[in-house]
Amino acid sequence: MDQIIGVFQYTFFQNAIIASVFTTIICGIIGTYIVTKRIVFITGGITHASFGGVGIAFYFGINPILGAAVFAVLSGLGIEYMSKYKDIREDSAIATLWSLGMALGIIFIFITPGYTPNLNSFLFGNILTVSYTDLYAMFAVVLIVVVFFALFWRLIMYIAFDEEFARSQNIPVQLFKYILVSLVALTIVINIRVVGIILVLSLMTIPPSVVNLFVKRFEYILLYSILVGLSGALFGLFMSYWLNIPSGASIIFALVIIFFLGKLLSIVLVKKKSTEGLSGNI
Amino acid sequence: MTIIEIENLSAGYEGKVIIEKCNLSIQHDDFIGIIGPNGGGKTTFLKALMGLIPLRTGQIRVFDNEKQVPKILIGYLPQINHIDKKFPITVREVVLSGLIQTRNWLQLPSKNTESKLQHNLQLLGIESLQHKIIGELSGGQMQRAFLGRAIIASPKLLVLDEPSTFVDSNFESELYDILENLNKEMAIVMVNHDLGTISSRVKTIACVNRNFNYHPSNEVTTEMLEQYHCPMDIIAHGAVPHRILHNHN
Ligand SMILES: Nc1ncnc2c1ncn2[C@@H]1O[C@H](COP(=O)(O)OP(=O)(O)OP(=O)(O)O)[C@@H](O)[C@H]1O
Ligand SMILES: [Mg+2]
């Protein structure tokens, strides 16, 4: 017990907890959007493309997160722009973007003279080292995402459900999609420090997938995903501290455990419901 | 009174022209049935008409009370098949999304929208389903919900792409009664494969098979069938008046 209370005295741990809260708010909301809209694969493409930005930024001595942000937003807008003309189920084009980003990243980091940065921190993140600057940046993204969804969740839901109908009603669908894909890109970038490029996707997809097992309404999935994400993040954070394992991986691991528990529970509930139905008939 | 004037329209996808040489003027009380074979371009025509795909040539002018305007309210029932059945949205919300243009931009609920909604759900017999998720509905029930979404805003033009798909014959005749009523307040353009319905319920007919041919009557002729290679169902509906047409081969 002393150990639990003791750890809260450390600034790095307090920061990590605040970061968890911010991260799960952002990821719960944006994750619900990408899961229900079925653009998880596109999001994966944007995520890995951003690594190209990290590499190039290193080479030119710019802040790598800034490089990632530019790459993520540009590739997101690019995909959205293309999908205006073509149905974006172009798996192979996105897969190419995916690996191109990684390749560019590796190449530029390799040819950067002198000191080679620790790639692990970008690939897997480390929530225990977030700085105040990171926290301020995260808070800004939280504000933007929360305000945008609080105001427009209905329109966002209508557009995600049936884009063509929304367009027939003169809704500026394309504008919404550009804004949303930029928010997806920002979400990815802001989480690179926390769980890293490789793991950020599941931080977005697992919470809504768990909630969707039980809840089938967009607005509730938005809210509950934040709670599920937060429990996973805190659980993972403590695991990481006690077992001395990397925080990003342990958070994702905790979320996967929650997913399987949820799946189990949903199966049990369905079974119970169907036997109740049967006995009711008898 | 003309509400839409289509002049020499052609449209398609990615450099491929699907329909061309469409000329049509839609009056405020029109009920136009559109027939044609699968892949003939019926849906493409509707999309071009609503500005969902860019025109390759021609123009569409829109009028309100004889004055040219940038747009009018259009209700749209898409051909079933393009929505995600797993999307977490209730029937209520689907129907309410038909008010997307007329509500305030935050889409906040109000007494007025609620009473419109309930009236609409009642008309279509889906009140008891309003809290269900759209994907849990049967095909016919879903079609009713989408019809509800199309008409809830009382549009000036109602565009229906095969509205009777999945609908049982009971509701089908009810559906056409509803449409007949709505036709008193709005123009209707409807794609339908069921020739029996087309000729008994619509006022005029257009054939779409890559090109566009308008017939200012509701008589389906053998010549039209031959010209357009329309392999269509001919269904007789109990009390509904219908014509039996010759097979065309
Ligand atoms: N999004 C699209 N991109 C490219 N081609 C398309 C697209 N939608 C339709 N087409 C093509 O346009 C042609 C006309 O399609 P359309 O859907 O307009 O036909 P339809 O008359 O509505 O057919 P149906 O009776 O099957 O509904 C078809 O050859 C189809 O392959
Ligand atoms: Mg069609």
Side-chain angles (χ1 to χ4, degrees):
Chain A
M1 198 62 210
D2 278 354
Q3 216 185 352
I4 295 184
I5 296 168
V7 70
F8 282 103
Q9 293 166 348
Y10 299 117
T11 319
F12 77 87
F13 205 80
Q14 292 165 359
N15 284 358
I17 288 186
I18 298 171
S20 305
V21 173
F22 288 169
T23 260
T24 49
I25 293 175
I26 303 171
C27 288
I29 295 173
I30 297 297
T32 300
Y33 174 71
I34 66 165
V35 167
T36 56
K37 182 83 206 290
R38 296 182 190 272
I39 52 169
V40 172
F41 190 61
I42 293 177
T43 310
I46 300 173
T47 309
H48 290 78
S50 71
F51 190 64
V54 171
I56 292 175
F58 258 120
Y59 182 76
F60 290 106
I62 314 166
N63 180 350
I65 297 291
L66 203 65
V70 171
F71 254 59
V73 172
L74 285 184
S75 56
L77 291 177
I79 290 174
E80 207 53 85
Y81 180 77
M82 271 168 17
S83 76
K84 202 179 139 189
Y85 298 101
K86 281 192 177 148
D87 247 347
I88 206 73
R89 296 269 164 186
E90 309 253 338
D91 293 2
S92 42
I94 293 166
T96 309
L97 178 72
W98 188 302
S99 31
L100 176 68
M102 294 307 274
L104 280 179
I106 299 285
I107 289 172
F108 274 94
I109 289 173
F110 182 78
I111 61 173
T112 302
Y115 161 76
T116 345
N118 179 9
L119 285 187
N120 271 357
S121 67
F122 292 99
L123 295 179
F124 301 103
N126 189 353
I127 198 171
L128 296 171
T129 60
V130 294
S131 63
Y132 282 112
T133 323
D134 293 329
L135 286 181
Y136 288 132
M138 290 177 93
F139 184 64
V141 178
V142 169
L143 268 188
I144 296 171
V145 169
V146 167
V147 169
F148 187 69
F149 272 78
L151 290 178
F152 295 117
W153 69 269
R154 269 209 169 83
L155 272 175
I156 294 166
M157 174 174 76
Y158 295 159
I159 293 172
F161 172 62
D162 191 346
E163 192 180 313
E164 192 168 83
F165 180 80
R167 290 212 292 131
S168 81
Q169 304 300 301
N170 300 313
I171 302 302
V173 170
Q174 207 56 35
L175 176 67
F176 266 89
K177 288 175 75 186
Y178 283 142
I179 294 174
L180 283 162
V181 83
S182 307
L183 291 182
V184 170
L186 273 184
T187 303
I188 292 164
V189 172
I190 212 77
N191 279 300
I192 290 180
R193 298 278 287 122
V194 181
V195 289
I197 285 170
I198 308 254
L199 300 175
V200 60
L201 199 56
S202 30
L203 197 56
M204 288 192 258
T205 55
I206 297 176
S209 307
V210 175
V211 176
N212 198 214
L213 293 169
F214 306 98
V215 175
K216 306 262 184 290
R217 287 176 64 166
F218 188 77
E219 63 272 37
Y220 294 149
I221 301 178
L222 278 178
L223 293 177
Y224 296 148
S225 293
I226 297 174
L227 295 181
V228 168
L230 190 60
S231 0
L234 293 182
F235 181 37
L237 192 56
F238 281 103
M239 267 203 320
S240 143
Y241 183 75
W242 283 322
L243 305 177
N244 198 18
I245 51 175
S247 58
S250 105
I251 289 173
I252 300 304
F253 194 66
L255 281 171
V256 173
I257 291 174
I258 291 179
F259 180 80
F260 280 114
L261 289 179
K263 191 80 195 168
L264 218 62
L265 184 63
S266 79
I267 291 170
V268 171
L269 284 180
V270 168
K271 275 238 173 77
K272 206 170 148 210
K273 222 177 178 177
S274 64
T275 47
E276 265 170 13
L278 276 181
S279 57
N281 283 338
I282 301 161
Chain B
M1 199 165 45
T2 305
I3 55 170
I4 289 184
E5 187 84 57
I6 301 169
E7 217 174 285
N8 190 30
L9 171 152
S10 67
Y13 308 93
E14 288 155 31
K16 207 170 54 185
V17 179
I18 301 291
I19 44 157
E20 43 187 353
K21 301 194 191 89
C22 302
N23 287 289
L24 178 69
S25 123
I26 303 176
Q27 307 300 311
H28 71 282
D29 57 352
D30 266 351
F31 194 158
I32 304 174
I34 296 183
I35 58 173
N38 290 129
K42 303 180 296 295
T43 301
T44 307
F45 170 72
L46 296 184
K47 285 184 184 171
L49 166 67
M50 288 180 291
L52 295 180
I53 53 173
L55 306 186
R56 297 177 57 90
T57 67
Q59 56 173 337
I60 299 175
R61 283 194 302 264
V62 180
F63 300 90
D64 187 20
N65 278 323
E66 323 258 344
K67 271 203 303 282
Q68 193 169 347
V69 290
K71 60 182 188 202
I72 50 170
L73 276 187
I74 296 182
Y76 177 36
L77 174 76
Q79 189 165 13
I80 237 172
N81 67 21
H82 77 293
I83 65 136
D84 175 3
K85 306 252 166 17
K86 287 248 156 77
F87 195 92
I89 186 170
T90 58
V91 173
R92 265 178 74 86
E93 285 295 342
V94 169
V95 176
L96 276 176
S97 71
L99 291 171
I100 205 165
Q101 267 182 113
T102 50
R103 279 161 99 184
N104 55 45
W105 53 285
L106 293 180
Q107 308 284 312
L108 294 174
S110 75
K111 259 210 182 114
N112 184 22
T113 56
E114 188 61 31
S115 74
K116 264 191 198 161
L117 172 69
Q118 294 310 325
H119 173 255
N120 185 285
L121 294 168
Q122 227 160 29
L123 179 74
L124 296 165
I126 48 172
E127 269 168 297
S128 59
L129 304 173
Q130 58 179 300
H131 295 294
K132 283 210 168 210
I133 300 307
I134 189 78
E136 293 171 358
L137 266 52
S138 73
Q141 293 170 331
M142 213 183 281
Q143 199 68 332
R144 295 181 198 206
F146 288 130
L147 182 64
R149 178 179 70 170
I151 63 179
I152 191 169
S154 314
K156 287 272 199 304
L157 172 67
L158 181 57
V159 174
L160 307 168
D161 202 346
E162 311 206 12
S164 54
T165 319
F166 296 127
V167 162
D168 61 32
S169 52
N170 256 340
F171 182 68
E172 190 173 357
S173 65
E174 207 179 303
L175 166 74
Y176 291 118
D177 290 339
I178 293 172
L179 292 184
E180 209 165 297
N181 251 325
L182 289 169
N183 192 212
K184 289 171 190 151
E185 281 134 40
M186 63 188 77
I188 301 178
V189 175
M190 173 177 79
V191 169
N192 207 320
H193 275 297
D194 176 357
L195 271 188
T197 312
I198 284 282
S199 56
S200 62
R201 295 295 192 145
V202 303
K203 294 177 182 165
T204 56
I205 292 176
C207 293
V208 175
N209 187 8
R210 301 292 152 146
N211 53 10
F212 187 92
N213 234 308
Y214 183 64
H215 304 266
S217 91
N218 66 352
E219 194 104 21
V220 178
T221 63
T222 347
E223 179 224 323
M224 277 158 72
L225 295 181
E226 271 160 13
Q227 192 179 349
Y228 292 96
H229 316 286
C230 307
M232 273 173 288
D233 321 330
I234 298 178
I235 302 169
H237 305 275
V240 179
H242 62 275
R243 297 179 186 84
I244 304 286
L245 299 143
H246 304 290
N247 252 341
H248 58 314
N249 46 22

